[in-house]
Amino acid sequence: MPWLKLSDRFATHPIWAKLRGVRRADERTVNEVIGFVTRCATQASGHMTDYYVDLETAEMMGKGRTDVLLRQAVSAGMLVASGKGPTRRWRIVEDEDLWQMRARADVLWERQRDKDRKNPDLTMPVLKRDGDVCRYCGKVVNWKDTRSGRGGTFDHSEPGQPATTDTYFVSCRSCNSKRLDNPHADKDVPRKPAPDLPYFSSASGTLDRLEKFYGCSIPHVDHERPDSDTAHRDPACSRYTRPTRPAPQADNAAPTVRPDDDTAQASTPQDNATATTPPELEDTARRATPDARWDTAAPATPGTGEDTARRATPAPAWATERPTDHSGTTPGTGVVEGWSPGTGRDGEGRDGSGLDGSPPAQGNPKTPRKRARRGNRSS
């Protein structure tokens, strides 16, 4: 897209000071010449004339003051005249501190790159050959990245010329920037040979687009199982297809029993009956079958695997702990001789004796103190 970009120092550029020293210049003509030359630059940028302005464009911008404005702009060095008569034209001064204008060749080359990138008859064969890997550095590109150096692009080995499948290659943005229009690009950034089987990233979606475009499977490198993906010919589309893989087994499929498995045992009629219980009777059958308990279950049969599983699950601690036996010498009382539960206060028993068997204390030296009622006391 053509454009004209004014610099931040456009208004204070030293070239404008030269306009005050030309013949018949005043404050009005300075601003008038600046506006005239800027409009001519905008017209040259939009029509991609590469800084050149012809006589018709100058008369359209200057109207009746075209001769005066052209003479003062040439005297200040803003325009350079070339040619004579009707073919005469003027070239606008090029200065990055004043403005920047895109050249015609740059605009046309950008349009050609966009045209080649949007042409599926060109890009699909290149992707089928190169995959999602840069042909220069060998890194996997990211087609969704539009800023960093790992972003995916297409490189023209012949800059300025329309691309073909032999001159168009997958490249990362970093390698593409290094090559640019360098005449020694093939030596400075050499290109790797095309892979035998391309690699496609699962996040790019390139493989799905290729299979949709060609209407058949595309041979590629499977990094998860590289040994299982071998190429096969498909006579229907005269291209390659991927081999079909066996369907995965269902989750409720019966597991395979190995002969050397210690826990393997033959199926019993009870197992078959449980497996063939109708869905509508599952709730009833579940309530009719009580849950197994460790203390009420029947003893396991050795060698069947049940005893091994039961030993692997230990019983809770509270089940193995025996209660304390308080049966003592006094028959029928269930209390050990000489033991008193006590009241739990001040370390004394019910009869006043200590918990260690000491005799009860004779009298209590401390008398409880009576509390007075709260309220107003009469004096």
Side-chain angles (χ1 to χ4, degrees), residues 278-339:
E280 60 274 8
L281 299 180
E282 286 185 359
D283 191 16
T284 305
R286 190 177 295 111
R287 289 197 301 268
T289 305
D291 297 336
R293 295 176 54 87
W294 61 271
D295 54 347
T296 60
T301 304
T304 60
E306 296 182 2
D307 55 341
T308 305
R310 188 164 300 164
R311 287 196 302 270
T313 306
W318 58 268
T320 57
E321 182 180 358
R322 294 185 177 182
T324 305
D325 187 9
H326 294 297
S327 58
T329 57
T330 306
T333 60
V335 178
V336 180
E337 183 179 2
W339 176 81

Side-chain angles (χ1 to χ4, degrees), residues 6-28:
L6 300 181
S7 174
D8 296 337
R9 295 182 290 272
F10 172 82
T12 59
H13 197 277
I15 198 172
W16 307 133
K18 297 180 181 180
L19 290 173
R20 302 180 61 88
V22 300
R23 185 182 177 183
R24 298 180 181 179
D26 55 21
E27 295 179 356
R28 183 189 64 177

Side-chain angles (χ1 to χ4, degrees), residues 132-315:
D132 292 335
V133 179
C134 176
R135 286 289 300 273
Y136 301 101
C137 64
K139 296 181 180 179
V140 179
V141 299
N142 184 4
W143 296 103
K144 299 179 182 179
D145 187 355
T146 59
R147 294 186 178 183
S148 68
R150 292 293 296 273
T153 60
F154 291 99
D155 177 62
H156 292 74
S157 61
E158 297 179 359
Q161 301 296 328
T164 62
T165 54
D166 297 332
T167 61
Y168 212 38
F169 305 96
V170 174
S171 172
C172 64
R173 185 171 288 103
S174 179
C175 293
N176 203 344
S177 301
K178 294 177 182 178
R179 291 178 60 85
L180 290 179
D181 298 335
N182 183 11
H184 307 287
D186 293 337
K187 181 179 179 180
D188 297 340
V189 188
R191 184 169 51 253
K192 299 179 181 296
D196 297 335
L197 287 177
Y199 169 77
F200 299 101
S201 174
S202 58
S204 65
T206 306
L207 183 60
D208 296 336
R209 295 197 302 269
L210 287 173
E211 292 179 347
K212 183 178 180 180
F213 179 79
Y214 285 100
C216 61
S217 301
I218 305 298
H220 65 283
V221 176
D222 190 353
H223 277 226
E224 296 180 355
R225 297 181 61 187
D227 302 335
S228 62
D229 228 0
T230 56
H232 291 268
R233 289 282 184 178
D234 184 5
C237 63
S238 65
R239 292 184 175 92
Y240 290 95
T241 58
R242 288 176 294 178
T244 57
R245 299 181 180 179
Q249 296 181 357
D251 296 339
N252 56 358
T256 304
V257 180
R258 295 179 299 176
D260 54 347
D261 193 353
D262 296 338
T263 61
Q265 57 180 349
S267 59
T268 61
Q270 295 179 357
D271 298 337
N272 297 335
T274 304
T276 57
T277 302
E280 60 274 8
L281 299 180
E282 286 185 359
D283 191 16
T284 305
R286 190 177 295 111
R287 289 197 301 268
T289 305
D291 297 336
R293 295 176 54 87
W294 61 271
D295 54 347
T296 60
T301 304
T304 60
E306 296 182 2
D307 55 341
T308 305
R310 188 164 300 164
R311 287 196 302 270
T313 306

Side-chain angles (χ1 to χ4, degrees), residues 33-106:
V33 172
I34 293 175
F36 169 73
V37 177
T38 304
R39 291 187 63 189
C40 290
T42 305
Q43 189 74 4
S45 174
H47 292 275
M48 297 182 295
T49 58
D50 290 345
Y51 289 92
Y52 281 97
V53 179
D54 54 11
L55 182 59
E56 289 78 6
T57 302
E59 291 178 350
M60 181 176 60
M61 299 299 173
K63 302 297 181 180
R65 293 180 58 82
T66 301
D67 293 339
V68 178
L69 297 176
L70 286 174
R71 189 183 306 111
Q72 292 187 6
V74 170
S75 299
M78 299 177 62
L79 299 177
V80 179
S82 63
K84 295 181 179 181
T87 59
R88 185 174 50 174
R89 59 179 186 169
W90 293 263
R91 179 176 175 82
I92 304 173
V93 62
E94 296 185 38
D95 193 340
E96 294 182 356
D97 293 337
L98 192 61
W99 45 45
Q100 294 179 4
M101 184 186 306
R102 294 198 67 188
R104 178 183 178 85
D106 295 339

